[in-house]
Amino acid sequence: MTEGAALAGLLVVEWASGVAGPLAGMLLADHGAEVVKAEPSGGDPARADPGFHVWNRGKRGVAVTGPDGVAALLAGADLCIVSAPTGRLAGTPLEPAAVAGRHPRLVYLHTPPYTDDAPWAGGGESDALLGALTGTAMRQFSSGGGPVDDVYPHLVTVQGIWAAAAAVSALHERERSGCGQVVTVAGVHGVMVAAAGALTFDASAAAPAPTGPAGPVPYYRLYQCGDGEWLFLAALIPRFTACAFEALGVPDLLTDPRLGANPRGAMLTPEHAPWVTARLAGAFRARPRAEWLEILARAGCPVGPVLSRADWLDHPQLAATGMRVEVDDPVLGPVAMPGVPLTLTAAPGWVGGAAPPPPGPSEGPAAAPRPASPEPGAGPLGAADTGADARPDGPLAGVVVLDLGAIIAGPFAASLLAELGADVVKIEPLSGDSFRGPGFAAYNKGQRSVAVNLADERGRATFLRLVAGADVVIDNYRPGVLERLGIGYDALRAVNPGVIAISITGFGPGGPLGREAGFDPVLQAMSGMMAAQGGDDEPVFFTIPVNDVAAAATSALAACLALHHRTRHGGGQRVWTSLAAMATLLQAGELVRFPGRPASPVGGRDHRGPAPADRFVEVADGWVRVHARGNASGLFAGMSDALASMTRDTACRWLTERGIPAAPARRTAELAGDDALVSYGMLQPDPRPDRAGWWTTGRHVHMSRTPRTAVLTAPALGRHTVEVLSAAGLSPGEIDALLAAGVVKQATVS
């Protein structure tokens, strides 16, 4: 049954292989769309990957040969997903501009592997090559420097989630305009979401020195305990640092005269980080891990044990929150896999079945076309404009979002909605988001700031005035906090029955861990990510906050799904996702379980890659990531010695000319000199004052008809308080009284 799902009644046709495109299709299928996976007669070459059975679940498979088969599928589709690079689509029935011209109501989701075309031979999807070329591999915490190869396809997974969000935003806009468009979420867009913090940088700054795989921040890193077991100390916020140091018996560190007036800041410097870390490491070696977990939990400090991924899929928390499901595959038998990573309470999704079997040969139309979608004006909102002209304000123009989030996941989710055109207001305490600092600008773009004391009854009333005119409210508070403040979902719904309330928690509601606080690296540790990346060596802390950014992209998708559902059926709803769900989704290919599946890969110290011909190779002036498989592996074996004397660029050109995929391992700062990336919109000069020479991310998605054009920046604390409250209907006298009482604050900057 799909009637109650957010995307019920929509037909999606997918021509995609690998992770990003199929994952986007999976998320649409999970929420009620009929997804037809079109494959060549020989089947998708990615079928050998265990993750195929997750990324393609709930779909119907068909074989397509010839333009007639393509035309038959497109004739009745609402959305199509195509992953091939633009160069390979030119002159084919799937060329984006041609398809859009023939099918003006179709949303065409294009998920190419890099930009429009990949610079490596073959142009296919490769998380490793993408990470090398965009600088993420060179930023990973390591022992000796150099690039590190991830054992999980984080970048293309985030690309797929964000692609699904962008596509649903375009479907939502189509309800108003009656027109489709081409939506491009390329591999670099996935990197922009996954590595947003790294892509706000000073191009002239020296490359950071290696700090070790445990992480560079003494109070936010891995430690080995007295029994040899590892844990992650997540004392990022000042109050957590204080309680952790007290529990560890080292409270004097916060008053040590060597660290000056800002001890936590001084602990981050090369001068002081080593000895502070050594002091904490000595404390942890005094007791076994189980004791430290109990002590730190009792003290109220977030901490997580480093566990194996082997047991994560069977963790009782996943069962309690629906993040473990089992489907019957007619060939494989029972397949256990991650469940639906977000919950819409009024329109819940579900796993619709196993991945389709290999398609048989087909000639002509692959499926009978169904009637086209309703014409403009036939939907539940009545007449709509023709939408023929481009709208330079994003597909979510007119949607109002209130961001209650702090640190990364919540604010970044709201910022991604701003990228899609929403009007986003950041609701901050008078002291500001606790993450205000160097990373704040990357995760809070496109927002206006209102500073208000929600603990004050007048502050709560003011916030609820804003809720009355909002469409979406996002939070990533610990469970129960909003209810204690009097602004839980019931309070929001009382003033606005159509409001969509999205919560991001550590572990999801219910279950043995449902009330616990969650931090990204705590889930990295508990879910087995860190242990698998380290292999037989010490565990590895991922530099990218992988669970936070995935949760942000998933929450943006959740908002778009709920908005689309409200447009068609009316009513708001409560929506949630969790970092635990993300730690499961990001490892889908490694966690999926069925009889006879091959072992999942693991890494090691400064992991360079899984095979001699599929790894980072050192050359005369740096590193090159080679991705030779199949017949290319044997060809590469005879070339490897010759690479050592070549420059990076020469080696990549030499390999590519011989049909071997390769990419240089670049540092982030190098991207600013890549004219192609800058013109594509991946990067732009940082517009903030006093940021000459700095760069930051540009457009996170290309929309052919509703592009977002404004330059987005993060707000100063309280910069827009008076402006937003006035627009909400508060009188000048009311606002002045709130300011005088210290309930709200207006920034004094110009």
Side-chain angles (χ1 to χ4, degrees), residues 6-46:
L7 302 180
L10 295 181
L11 175 62
V12 177
V13 183
E14 176 192 305
W15 282 274
S17 185
V19 179
L23 175 61
M26 179 205 84
L27 292 167
L28 302 180
D30 283 351
H31 291 279
E34 179 187 0
V35 180
V36 177
K37 183 175 180 63
E39 301 184 58
S41 58
D44 186 339

mmCIF file of all heavy atoms in Angstrom, residues 6-46:
data_model
loop_
_atom_site.group_PDB
_atom_site.id
_atom_site.type_symbol
_atom_site.label_atom_id
_atom_site.label_comp_id
_atom_site.label_asym_id
_atom_site.label_seq_id
_atom_site.Cartn_x
_atom_site.Cartn_y
_atom_site.Cartn_z
ATOM 1 N N ALA A 6 4.472 9.954 1.041
ATOM 2 C CA ALA A 6 4.671 11.316 0.558
ATOM 3 C C ALA A 6 4.726 11.389 -0.961
ATOM 4 O O ALA A 6 4.305 12.384 -1.558
ATOM 5 C CB ALA A 6 5.941 11.901 1.161
ATOM 6 N N LEU A 7 5.258 10.362 -1.615
ATOM 7 C CA LEU A 7 5.436 10.378 -3.061
ATOM 8 C C LEU A 7 4.516 9.401 -3.777
ATOM 9 O O LEU A 7 4.776 9.004 -4.915
ATOM 10 C CB LEU A 7 6.897 10.079 -3.414
ATOM 11 C CG LEU A 7 7.932 11.035 -2.823
ATOM 12 C CD1 LEU A 7 9.334 10.633 -3.249
ATOM 13 C CD2 LEU A 7 7.654 12.481 -3.229
ATOM 14 N N ALA A 8 3.449 8.998 -3.129
ATOM 15 C CA ALA A 8 2.511 8.059 -3.745
ATOM 16 C C ALA A 8 1.985 8.621 -5.061
ATOM 17 O O ALA A 8 1.665 9.803 -5.177
ATOM 18 C CB ALA A 8 1.344 7.796 -2.794
ATOM 19 N N GLY A 9 1.917 7.748 -6.066
ATOM 20 C CA GLY A 9 1.386 8.135 -7.358
ATOM 21 C C GLY A 9 2.404 8.679 -8.331
ATOM 22 O O GLY A 9 2.064 8.979 -9.480
ATOM 23 N N LEU A 10 3.664 8.823 -7.912
ATOM 24 C CA LEU A 10 4.701 9.344 -8.796
ATOM 25 C C LEU A 10 5.489 8.202 -9.424
ATOM 26 O O LEU A 10 5.775 7.194 -8.767
ATOM 27 C CB LEU A 10 5.658 10.253 -8.029
ATOM 28 C CG LEU A 10 5.056 11.546 -7.468
ATOM 29 C CD1 LEU A 10 6.138 12.346 -6.757
ATOM 30 C CD2 LEU A 10 4.418 12.378 -8.575
ATOM 31 N N LEU A 11 5.831 8.371 -10.687
ATOM 32 C CA LEU A 11 6.630 7.386 -11.405
ATOM 33 C C LEU A 11 8.029 7.941 -11.639
ATOM 34 O O LEU A 11 8.195 9.029 -12.191
ATOM 35 C CB LEU A 11 5.988 7.039 -12.749
ATOM 36 C CG LEU A 11 6.796 6.091 -13.657
ATOM 37 C CD1 LEU A 11 7.002 4.731 -12.992
ATOM 38 C CD2 LEU A 11 6.112 5.922 -15.011
ATOM 39 N N VAL A 12 9.031 7.197 -11.207
ATOM 40 C CA VAL A 12 10.434 7.569 -11.356
ATOM 41 C C VAL A 12 11.103 6.521 -12.232
ATOM 42 O O VAL A 12 10.946 5.317 -11.999
ATOM 43 C CB VAL A 12 11.147 7.639 -9.990
ATOM 44 C CG1 VAL A 12 12.626 7.961 -10.167
ATOM 45 C CG2 VAL A 12 10.467 8.662 -9.088
ATOM 46 N N VAL A 13 11.832 6.958 -13.231
ATOM 47 C CA VAL A 13 12.600 6.057 -14.081
ATOM 48 C C VAL A 13 14.073 6.326 -13.837
ATOM 49 O O VAL A 13 14.518 7.475 -13.879
ATOM 50 C CB VAL A 13 12.259 6.253 -15.570
ATOM 51 C CG1 VAL A 13 13.029 5.249 -16.418
ATOM 52 C CG2 VAL A 13 10.765 6.101 -15.795
ATOM 53 N N GLU A 14 14.826 5.284 -13.578
ATOM 54 C CA GLU A 14 16.224 5.435 -13.162
ATOM 55 C C GLU A 14 17.162 4.751 -14.148
ATOM 56 O O GLU A 14 17.064 3.544 -14.378
ATOM 57 C CB GLU A 14 16.399 4.837 -11.764
ATOM 58 C CG GLU A 14 17.821 4.838 -11.235
ATOM 59 C CD GLU A 14 17.960 3.973 -10.002
ATOM 60 O OE1 GLU A 14 17.204 4.197 -9.032
ATOM 61 O OE2 GLU A 14 18.815 3.056 -10.004
ATOM 62 N N TRP A 15 18.060 5.538 -14.730
ATOM 63 C CA TRP A 15 19.172 5.013 -15.511
ATOM 64 C C TRP A 15 20.446 5.366 -14.750
ATOM 65 O O TRP A 15 21.096 6.375 -15.034
ATOM 66 C CB TRP A 15 19.223 5.648 -16.897
ATOM 67 C CG TRP A 15 18.244 5.114 -17.890
ATOM 68 C CD1 TRP A 15 18.405 4.028 -18.690
ATOM 69 C CD2 TRP A 15 16.967 5.653 -18.212
ATOM 70 N NE1 TRP A 15 17.311 3.852 -19.482
ATOM 71 C CE2 TRP A 15 16.402 4.838 -19.219
ATOM 72 C CE3 TRP A 15 16.232 6.747 -17.751
ATOM 73 C CZ2 TRP A 15 15.153 5.075 -19.768
ATOM 74 C CZ3 TRP A 15 14.987 6.999 -18.287
ATOM 75 C CH2 TRP A 15 14.459 6.162 -19.282
ATOM 76 N N ALA A 16 20.793 4.600 -13.756
ATOM 77 C CA ALA A 16 21.919 4.958 -12.901
ATOM 78 C C ALA A 16 22.577 3.705 -12.368
ATOM 79 O O ALA A 16 21.916 2.690 -12.113
ATOM 80 C CB ALA A 16 21.452 5.840 -11.743
ATOM 81 N N SER A 17 23.888 3.797 -12.176
ATOM 82 C CA SER A 17 24.659 2.707 -11.603
ATOM 83 C C SER A 17 25.516 3.268 -10.487
ATOM 84 O O SER A 17 25.657 4.478 -10.336
ATOM 85 C CB SER A 17 25.537 2.048 -12.673
ATOM 86 O OG SER A 17 26.201 0.909 -12.167
ATOM 87 N N GLY A 18 26.086 2.395 -9.673
ATOM 88 C CA GLY A 18 26.928 2.856 -8.577
ATOM 89 C C GLY A 18 26.121 3.130 -7.334
ATOM 90 O O GLY A 18 25.203 2.372 -6.986
ATOM 91 N N VAL A 19 26.431 4.245 -6.639
ATOM 92 C CA VAL A 19 25.804 4.557 -5.361
ATOM 93 C C VAL A 19 24.865 5.755 -5.455
ATOM 94 O O VAL A 19 23.692 5.663 -5.103
ATOM 95 C CB VAL A 19 26.870 4.810 -4.274
ATOM 96 C CG1 VAL A 19 26.205 5.166 -2.936
ATOM 97 C CG2 VAL A 19 27.770 3.601 -4.098
ATOM 98 N N ALA A 20 25.365 6.909 -5.924
ATOM 99 C CA ALA A 20 24.623 8.160 -5.766
ATOM 100 C C ALA A 20 23.247 8.122 -6.426
ATOM 101 O O ALA A 20 22.228 8.383 -5.770
ATOM 102 C CB ALA A 20 25.446 9.325 -6.311
ATOM 103 N N GLY A 21 23.177 7.828 -7.716
ATOM 104 C CA GLY A 21 21.892 7.804 -8.404
ATOM 105 C C GLY A 21 20.946 6.748 -7.866
ATOM 106 O O GLY A 21 19.780 7.038 -7.549
ATOM 107 N N PRO A 22 21.407 5.483 -7.741
ATOM 108 C CA PRO A 22 20.526 4.464 -7.168
ATOM 109 C C PRO A 22 20.085 4.766 -5.739
ATOM 110 O O PRO A 22 18.949 4.464 -5.367
ATOM 111 C CB PRO A 22 21.393 3.200 -7.234
ATOM 112 C CG PRO A 22 22.266 3.422 -8.430
ATOM 113 C CD PRO A 22 22.598 4.885 -8.373
ATOM 114 N N LEU A 23 20.968 5.362 -4.922
ATOM 115 C CA LEU A 23 20.571 5.709 -3.557
ATOM 116 C C LEU A 23 19.472 6.764 -3.573
ATOM 117 O O LEU A 23 18.502 6.684 -2.800
ATOM 118 C CB LEU A 23 21.778 6.211 -2.772
ATOM 119 C CG LEU A 23 21.496 6.723 -1.358
ATOM 120 C CD1 LEU A 23 20.903 5.623 -0.488
ATOM 121 C CD2 LEU A 23 22.752 7.277 -0.719
ATOM 122 N N ALA A 24 19.592 7.768 -4.441
ATOM 123 C CA ALA A 24 18.516 8.755 -4.567
ATOM 124 C C ALA A 24 17.206 8.057 -4.948
ATOM 125 O O ALA A 24 16.151 8.340 -4.374
ATOM 126 C CB ALA A 24 18.886 9.810 -5.610
ATOM 127 N N GLY A 25 17.281 7.119 -5.906
ATOM 128 C CA GLY A 25 16.086 6.372 -6.283
ATOM 129 C C GLY A 25 15.534 5.540 -5.151
ATOM 130 O O GLY A 25 14.314 5.422 -4.982
ATOM 131 N N MET A 26 16.412 4.939 -4.354
ATOM 132 C CA MET A 26 15.977 4.154 -3.200
ATOM 133 C C MET A 26 15.192 5.013 -2.220
ATOM 134 O O MET A 26 14.129 4.601 -1.709
ATOM 135 C CB MET A 26 17.194 3.553 -2.497
ATOM 136 C CG MET A 26 16.873 2.730 -1.253
ATOM 137 S SD MET A 26 18.249 2.637 -0.067
ATOM 138 C CE MET A 26 18.001 4.170 0.842
ATOM 139 N N LEU A 27 15.695 6.219 -1.930
ATOM 140 C CA LEU A 27 15.011 7.088 -0.979
ATOM 141 C C LEU A 27 13.643 7.503 -1.499
ATOM 142 O O LEU A 27 12.691 7.639 -0.726
ATOM 143 C CB LEU A 27 15.881 8.310 -0.692
ATOM 144 C CG LEU A 27 17.175 8.008 0.082
ATOM 145 C CD1 LEU A 27 18.114 9.209 0.040
ATOM 146 C CD2 LEU A 27 16.867 7.614 1.524
ATOM 147 N N LEU A 28 13.521 7.694 -2.801
ATOM 148 C CA LEU A 28 12.216 8.016 -3.377
ATOM 149 C C LEU A 28 11.282 6.814 -3.306
ATOM 150 O O LEU A 28 10.087 6.955 -3.000
ATOM 151 C CB LEU A 28 12.386 8.489 -4.820
ATOM 152 C CG LEU A 28 13.296 9.707 -5.042
ATOM 153 C CD1 LEU A 28 13.369 10.052 -6.518
ATOM 154 C CD2 LEU A 28 12.838 10.900 -4.230
ATOM 155 N N ALA A 29 11.821 5.624 -3.571
ATOM 156 C CA ALA A 29 11.004 4.409 -3.469
ATOM 157 C C ALA A 29 10.558 4.159 -2.041
ATOM 158 O O ALA A 29 9.423 3.729 -1.794
ATOM 159 C CB ALA A 29 11.791 3.209 -4.001
ATOM 160 N N ASP A 30 11.442 4.420 -1.089
ATOM 161 C CA ASP A 30 11.094 4.251 0.330
ATOM 162 C C ASP A 30 9.885 5.092 0.718
ATOM 163 O O ASP A 30 9.204 4.786 1.702
ATOM 164 C CB ASP A 30 12.269 4.647 1.222
ATOM 165 C CG ASP A 30 13.376 3.602 1.275
ATOM 166 O OD1 ASP A 30 13.181 2.488 0.760
ATOM 167 O OD2 ASP A 30 14.448 3.910 1.845
ATOM 168 N N HIS A 31 9.635 6.181 -0.027
ATOM 169 C CA HIS A 31 8.538 7.085 0.326
ATOM 170 C C HIS A 31 7.421 7.078 -0.702
ATOM 171 O O HIS A 31 6.710 8.065 -0.883
ATOM 172 C CB HIS A 31 9.094 8.486 0.580
ATOM 173 C CG HIS A 31 9.911 8.539 1.829
ATOM 174 N ND1 HIS A 31 9.361 8.659 3.084
ATOM 175 C CD2 HIS A 31 11.247 8.396 2.025
ATOM 176 C CE1 HIS A 31 10.313 8.623 3.990
ATOM 177 N NE2 HIS A 31 11.464 8.456 3.378
ATOM 178 N N GLY A 32 7.258 5.914 -1.339
ATOM 179 C CA GLY A 32 6.040 5.667 -2.090
ATOM 180 C C GLY A 32 6.101 5.818 -3.586
ATOM 181 O O GLY A 32 5.137 5.474 -4.282
ATOM 182 N N ALA A 33 7.207 6.361 -4.139
ATOM 183 C CA ALA A 33 7.285 6.480 -5.591
ATOM 184 C C ALA A 33 7.450 5.100 -6.220
ATOM 185 O O ALA A 33 8.094 4.220 -5.646
ATOM 186 C CB ALA A 33 8.454 7.377 -5.992
ATOM 187 N N GLU A 34 6.868 4.925 -7.399
ATOM 188 C CA GLU A 34 7.133 3.721 -8.180
ATOM 189 C C GLU A 34 8.418 3.973 -8.967
ATOM 190 O O GLU A 34 8.456 4.853 -9.831
ATOM 191 C CB GLU A 34 5.993 3.421 -9.139
ATOM 192 C CG GLU A 34 6.245 2.180 -9.986
ATOM 193 C CD GLU A 34 5.195 1.964 -11.063
ATOM 194 O OE1 GLU A 34 4.266 2.791 -11.157
ATOM 195 O OE2 GLU A 34 5.327 0.982 -11.822
ATOM 196 N N VAL A 35 9.473 3.235 -8.647
ATOM 197 C CA VAL A 35 10.771 3.453 -9.275
ATOM 198 C C VAL A 35 11.068 2.285 -10.208
ATOM 199 O O VAL A 35 11.126 1.126 -9.769
ATOM 200 C CB VAL A 35 11.889 3.606 -8.235
ATOM 201 C CG1 VAL A 35 13.238 3.828 -8.935
ATOM 202 C CG2 VAL A 35 11.584 4.773 -7.302
ATOM 203 N N VAL A 36 11.242 2.603 -11.481
ATOM 204 C CA VAL A 36 11.574 1.608 -12.489
ATOM 205 C C VAL A 36 13.052 1.741 -12.804
ATOM 206 O O VAL A 36 13.510 2.785 -13.283
ATOM 207 C CB VAL A 36 10.738 1.810 -13.768
ATOM 208 C CG1 VAL A 36 11.152 0.799 -14.830
ATOM 209 C CG2 VAL A 36 9.255 1.680 -13.447
ATOM 210 N N LYS A 37 13.808 0.700 -12.517
ATOM 211 C CA LYS A 37 15.245 0.698 -12.783
ATOM 212 C C LYS A 37 15.474 0.146 -14.183
ATOM 213 O O LYS A 37 15.233 -1.034 -14.448
ATOM 214 C CB LYS A 37 15.998 -0.144 -11.753
ATOM 215 C CG LYS A 37 17.518 -0.119 -11.949
ATOM 216 C CD LYS A 37 18.231 -0.871 -10.843
ATOM 217 C CE LYS A 37 19.742 -0.833 -11.052
ATOM 218 N NZ LYS A 37 20.286 0.541 -10.988
ATOM 219 N N ALA A 38 15.940 1.001 -15.083
ATOM 220 C CA ALA A 38 16.204 0.594 -16.455
ATOM 221 C C ALA A 38 17.658 0.159 -16.572
ATOM 222 O O ALA A 38 18.571 0.898 -16.210
ATOM 223 C CB ALA A 38 15.920 1.751 -17.406
ATOM 224 N N GLU A 39 17.882 -1.048 -17.056
ATOM 225 C CA GLU A 39 19.225 -1.597 -17.166
ATOM 226 C C GLU A 39 19.498 -2.041 -18.598
ATOM 227 O O GLU A 39 18.576 -2.361 -19.345
ATOM 228 C CB GLU A 39 19.391 -2.798 -16.237
ATOM 229 C CG GLU A 39 19.151 -2.506 -14.770
ATOM 230 C CD GLU A 39 19.419 -3.724 -13.897
ATOM 231 O OE1 GLU A 39 20.554 -4.244 -13.930
ATOM 232 O OE2 GLU A 39 18.490 -4.167 -13.195
ATOM 233 N N PRO A 40 20.769 -2.074 -18.951
ATOM 234 C CA PRO A 40 21.101 -2.685 -20.244
ATOM 235 C C PRO A 40 20.777 -4.172 -20.200
ATOM 236 O O PRO A 40 20.587 -4.758 -19.127
ATOM 237 C CB PRO A 40 22.599 -2.422 -20.380
ATOM 238 C CG PRO A 40 23.083 -2.240 -18.980
ATOM 239 C CD PRO A 40 21.966 -1.598 -18.238
ATOM 240 N N SER A 41 20.727 -4.796 -21.340
ATOM 241 C CA SER A 41 20.310 -6.198 -21.393
ATOM 242 C C SER A 41 21.213 -7.109 -20.571
ATOM 243 O O SER A 41 20.776 -8.142 -20.074
ATOM 244 C CB SER A 41 20.261 -6.676 -22.852
ATOM 245 O OG SER A 41 21.523 -6.505 -23.468
ATOM 246 N N GLY A 42 22.465 -6.726 -20.395
ATOM 247 C CA GLY A 42 23.369 -7.528 -19.573
ATOM 248 C C GLY A 42 23.249 -7.261 -18.097
ATOM 249 O O GLY A 42 23.905 -7.921 -17.287
ATOM 250 N N GLY A 43 22.425 -6.278 -17.704
ATOM 251 C CA GLY A 43 22.246 -5.955 -16.299
ATOM 252 C C GLY A 43 23.220 -4.881 -15.838
ATOM 253 O O GLY A 43 24.231 -4.589 -16.485
ATOM 254 N N ASP A 44 22.919 -4.266 -14.725
ATOM 255 C CA ASP A 44 23.767 -3.237 -14.128
ATOM 256 C C ASP A 44 25.083 -3.878 -13.689
ATOM 257 O O ASP A 44 25.082 -4.846 -12.922
ATOM 258 C CB ASP A 44 23.045 -2.639 -12.918
ATOM 259 C CG ASP A 44 23.771 -1.461 -12.297
ATOM 260 O OD1 ASP A 44 24.988 -1.324 -12.514
ATOM 261 O OD2 ASP A 44 23.119 -0.688 -11.569
ATOM 262 N N PRO A 45 26.241 -3.356 -14.128
ATOM 263 C CA PRO A 45 27.517 -3.953 -13.706
ATOM 264 C C PRO A 45 27.765 -3.851 -12.210
ATOM 265 O O PRO A 45 28.611 -4.572 -11.678
ATOM 266 C CB PRO A 45 28.558 -3.153 -14.502
ATOM 267 C CG PRO A 45 27.870 -1.890 -14.896
ATOM 268 C CD PRO A 45 26.429 -2.252 -15.082
ATOM 269 N N ALA A 46 27.029 -2.987 -11.515
ATOM 270 C CA ALA A 46 27.211 -2.847 -10.072
ATOM 271 C C ALA A 46 26.514 -3.941 -9.278
ATOM 272 O O ALA A 46 26.579 -3.948 -8.044
ATOM 273 C CB ALA A 46 26.697 -1.483 -9.613
#
